[in-house]
Amino acid sequence: MLILVACKPRGAEIKIGVSAPLTGDISALGQSTKNAILLAQDEVNAEGIKVGDKTMKVRFIIEDDENKPESTATVFQKLISQDRVVAIIGSQSSKCSNAGAPIAEAAMVPQVSPWSTNPNVTKGRTFVFRACFIDSFQGKVVAQFATEKLKARTAAVLYDIASDYNKGIAEVFRDEFTKTGGTIVGFETYNTKDTDFSAQLTKIKGAKPDVLFLPNYFNDVPLQVQQARKLGISAAVLGSDSWDNPQLIKLGGDVMNGASFSNHYTPDSENPASKAFIAKYQARFRMLPDAAAALTYDSVYLVCKAIATAGKADPKAIRDAIAATKGFQGVSGVITYAGNGDPQKGAVVIKIVNGKFVFDSAVNP
Amino acid sequence: MDTIIQQLLNAAQLGAVYALIALGYSMVYGIIRLINFAHGDIFMLGGFIGLIIVTHFGGLPFCLVMILAMLLTALVGVTIERVAYRKLRNAQRMSVVITALGVGIFLENLVRLLIGPETRQIPARLPTGSVVWLQQHLGVFVTWDKVLIILISLALMAVLWIIVNKTLVGTAMRAVADNASVVPLMGVNLNLIISVTFAIGSALAAAGGIFYGQAYSLDPYMGIDLGWKAFIAAVIGGIGSIEGAVIGAFLLAGVEVITVAYLSSNLKNGIAFGLLIILLLIWPSGIMGKPLLKKV
């Protein structure tokens, strides 16, 4: 075994780690992450990456973090110390990216999270990047949509208090909605894995809000909307980018019609890069890519381009090349880093009409 | 006022499901002194069996779906006892408890492999319209499925009470619970009585699983948390006691809902379980439990 390892030509391929929720509560999103990685891997390897004077192939090592912070920490440790990857893509939920980030930072291995929007993920870190906007922007987008488009004066929020992302954006929304003159009449919480929300929703019903904001993952949201309607709540329902997965409609069905949520990109996009990606993804996996898939795909190209720019497969050099990225044209928008790991990107609002995600409006920072 | 009634109905629906699971824990403990930690997963399995029946035999009326799922889950429960517990009946208690945990993990992974890890729901088979009478007279908005789930659960509990207290099998069950070593000498088939107990407990859990899958949702790991809650309800009520399991279940659901409704949703589990610890300090063997007398 030892001899085999020693004989293997070193540096023939570049190893990039991926930490994704392949099982657990948001496993459907882990699947789209994996799909996007496989698609991008084949495309990149068709030509290879020019590293210095050599053309190299990339190999992605995809590990399951179960959407649990403690498992994510183990995955990061394994990818860095055992597989010796030059960069890590992941994880998806903010609570997991937050658990992996200190490890990547300490080991000086660049981390690119495709989908983690909580501001804390990159804060004070030099090796951690993301491919998406952050919640201080997203929360504002949803609050503005509620007051300007829906003319809401009162709002209620129900969110998972045990998850960084949900808690973060719920608080931003509360502050922004209040700033625009609205009143928060209900601010209720639950815990990850709860499935009965009727007590919180009954309380919210008594406060008669104009809108109900549910910044939770797509596996919980349909149950919440369904239980709200069964309790006689008729308020308009709003959500955030954590809604974007086919599972939302599969589980919720008709009950989701009429609800709106903020997102990173829209499958209706006219951008030629997005269109090409959507066509390829759909042909191979027989479903529309969600935003997490698009952002993961962008993260792969972002890292691969940085490797080519750096001219060597060295974590430190790759980090510097990522940090210097300007005007990277991704399928989810343009990525430019200006001094930190957060790109300035626009958001879209999507409305659910007859079980389809329909573009409503675009908001730029 | 209408909010209070609505919250009470929320608690009743949740409590009904807790009770259907708690009964299985309590009955099995009563009869063979085993804490069957696989029971939460039998509840999960019952829900998924219901889901499979509904998806493949779409035309079946709801009551047939329920009966079929309850029968199949009962069969699974009996098989588990036969295969995994019976040989260990006279081994130390800890061995069976560990086996039960193993069976539970096996069931979780089996369902995850066969059906997948995603959250699912049993398509609504009970009517989901609102109960107009309640809306007009009390201003309470409640849907028929919630009312029916509560009523059918109570009916199942009544049937169980009749079986245990008014039939020959029930008499034998109570006798085994009282003294498992003497009863076989009276010509009672001990293995049969234990199988019947597992069958009834599993069937009730399946009913709970189907209700839960329709009112809330299903996933392969749901049995862990709900199993714990039902187990705690059974202990609070006095494990081994049927009435106790039901009281404990409604009490737990009631405390949970009231905490969210009038205190804070952040404190739900903290306050609910804190109160239950206090209850146990007052009644160490549970509300309906008999203090354990050591026989010499």
Side-chain angles (χ1 to χ4, degrees), chain B residues 46-254:
Chain B
F48 273 99
I49 290 177
L51 174 69
I52 293 168
I53 297 174
V54 171
T55 1
H56 290 276
F57 307 95
L60 281 184
F62 187 74
C63 60
L64 272 184
V65 173
M66 280 212 50
I67 292 171
L68 211 55
M70 286 170 77
L71 284 176
L72 286 170
T73 314
L75 202 65
V76 175
V78 171
T79 313
I80 289 172
E81 189 272 328
R82 182 71 194 81
V83 174
Y85 304 157
R86 188 170 292 182
K87 275 219 154 71
L88 294 168
R89 198 177 293 158
N90 297 316
Q92 9 164 342
R93 290 293 83 189
M94 208 41 78
S95 314
V96 203
V97 171
I98 298 302
T99 314
L101 280 171
V103 169
I105 295 169
F106 170 75
L107 290 178
E108 288 155 22
N109 286 287
L110 184 75
V111 172
R112 197 190 85 189
L113 264 179
L114 295 180
I115 302 179
E118 297 92 21
T119 307
R120 276 155 209 275
Q121 226 175 3
I122 300 181
R125 281 317 193 70
L126 294 167
T128 49
S130 88
V131 183
V132 180
W133 188 89
L134 278 173
Q135 209 175 345
Q136 282 171 349
H137 291 80
L138 295 168
V140 178
F141 189 96
V142 57
T143 49
W144 270 110
D145 56 339
K146 186 173 274 181
V147 176
L148 286 173
I149 286 174
I150 298 168
L151 291 180
I152 300 173
S153 304
L154 290 175
L156 286 170
M157 291 170 215
V159 170
L160 174 72
W161 189 88
I162 293 168
I163 292 177
V164 170
N165 289 299
K166 302 284 171 199
T167 66
L168 199 60
V169 184
T171 312
M173 281 165 71
R174 280 181 291 135
V176 173
D178 205 43
N179 192 329
S181 44
V182 173
V183 170
L185 303 176
M186 314 284 177
V188 174
N189 184 340
L190 186 66
N191 285 335
L192 181 72
I193 296 304
I194 290 174
S195 291
V196 169
T197 309
F198 271 90
I200 295 176
S202 305
L204 290 174
I210 291 173
F211 290 153
Y212 205 86
Q214 173 157 355
Y216 312 111
S217 65
L218 296 176
D219 76 83
Y221 299 103
M222 67 193 269
I224 305 173
D225 279 21
L226 285 156
W228 275 115
K229 290 215 166 143
F231 172 60
I232 290 162
V235 172
I236 294 297
I239 195 153
S241 154
I242 286 171
E243 294 85 351
V246 176
I247 292 172
F250 282 105
L251 191 69
L252 178 60

Side-chain angles (χ1 to χ4, degrees), chain B residues 6-20:
Chain B
Q6 208 159 24
Q7 291 289 20
L8 287 177
L9 286 165
N10 293 338
Q13 176 172 263
L14 191 62
V17 177
Y18 285 171
L20 288 173

